[in-house]
Amino acid sequence: ILMQKGLVDMCLVGSDRTLYTGDVCNKIGTYLKALAAYDNTIPFYVALPSSTIDWEINNYKVIPIEERNNNELSHINGLDEAGNLKNVLIYPRESKSLNLAFDVTPSKYISGLITEKGVCKANKNEITTLLKTNLYEKVFWEFDSSANYILSALLIIFIRLLSCWALLCPHDQRR
């Protein structure tokens, strides 16, 4: 409803895996946020370290998606009448469930990718141009894990600061 009322300037999410085609695999619910942003003409950005780019898979439909234990959905811990902690089934045993850990957001819903090397559109040409500009940089980013870790940590700190600013600053003062 915040998006529908014009109270959101942009969406910023992370990524567990990003294909070189621009499609993003992230925690469940990311795709729905992207659809809502798209429907409300709100820019949708993904922040990621370049080390999470998958240069092998080119079709998001073949990304392996982790399936978690269905008990995470079907059961809940709570106290019984005697005050004992119990694990209780919350829907009928015969009900089926699918507990996926991730979903995939197609690149067409993504305004841009934010990496430690810059910002680009979520497509093969721009990602390749930004992240594989020359052989030295390619070797550096693929093999210097300590520098990559530090830059990734700085990117995460920046995202958290941006998130705090967005929460603390009144909407009309952010423009």
Side-chain angles (χ1 to χ4, degrees):
I1 194 154
L2 294 176
M3 289 185 197
Q4 292 172 329
K5 291 186 175 199
L7 298 175
V8 176
D9 294 323
M10 75 170 200
C11 293
L12 180 64
V13 298
S15 173
D16 289 290
R17 173 187 277 178
T18 301
L19 303 188
Y20 70 93
T21 57
D23 303 315
V24 170
C25 181
N26 196 41
K27 304 294 182 279
I28 200 80
T30 303
Y31 175 57
L32 291 177
K33 287 176 184 60
L35 288 175
Y38 185 82
D39 190 54
N40 290 282
T41 61
I42 296 168
F44 186 87
Y45 288 91
V46 179
L48 62 136
S50 61
S51 61
T52 62
I53 299 284
D54 186 326
W55 297 100
E56 305 297 321
I57 297 176
N58 65 2
N59 182 346
Y60 70 86
K61 293 179 181 179
V62 299
I63 295 174
I65 304 292
E66 175 190 351
E67 289 186 37
R68 294 191 174 157
N69 189 322
N70 289 343
N71 285 348
E72 292 178 9
L73 301 175
S74 63
H75 290 74
I76 189 169
N77 287 329
L79 299 177
D80 66 12
E81 293 171 2
N84 299 315
L85 185 64
K86 297 283 183 179
N87 189 265
V88 180
L89 179 68
I90 59 172
Y91 56 77
R93 289 190 198 286
E94 60 276 1
S95 296
K96 295 185 186 217
S97 61
L98 181 62
N99 189 10
L100 299 174
F102 303 97
D103 60 24
V104 179
T105 303
S107 62
K108 69 181 179 180
Y109 299 115
I110 300 170
S111 304
L113 302 176
I114 304 169
T115 75
E116 73 279 0
K117 299 206 44 171
V119 179
C120 67
K121 297 270 186 209
N123 65 55
K124 179 181 175 180
N125 291 338
E126 290 211 21
I127 293 169
T128 303
T129 300
L130 179 66
L131 299 179
K132 291 193 170 187
T133 54
N134 64 51
L135 182 59
Y136 169 76
E137 288 182 1
K138 180 178 184 240
V139 170
F140 175 79
W141 289 109
E142 288 182 1
F143 296 106
D144 191 343
S145 60
S146 62
N148 198 2
Y149 176 79
I150 291 167
L151 288 171
S152 298
L154 289 172
L155 181 62
I156 290 167
I157 291 168
F158 170 75
I159 292 166
R160 289 186 178 156
L161 287 172
L162 186 61
S163 298
C164 290
W165 171 78
L167 290 172
L168 296 174
C169 184
H171 179 75
D172 57 346
Q173 293 178 8
R174 290 192 305 234
R175 294 193 185 265

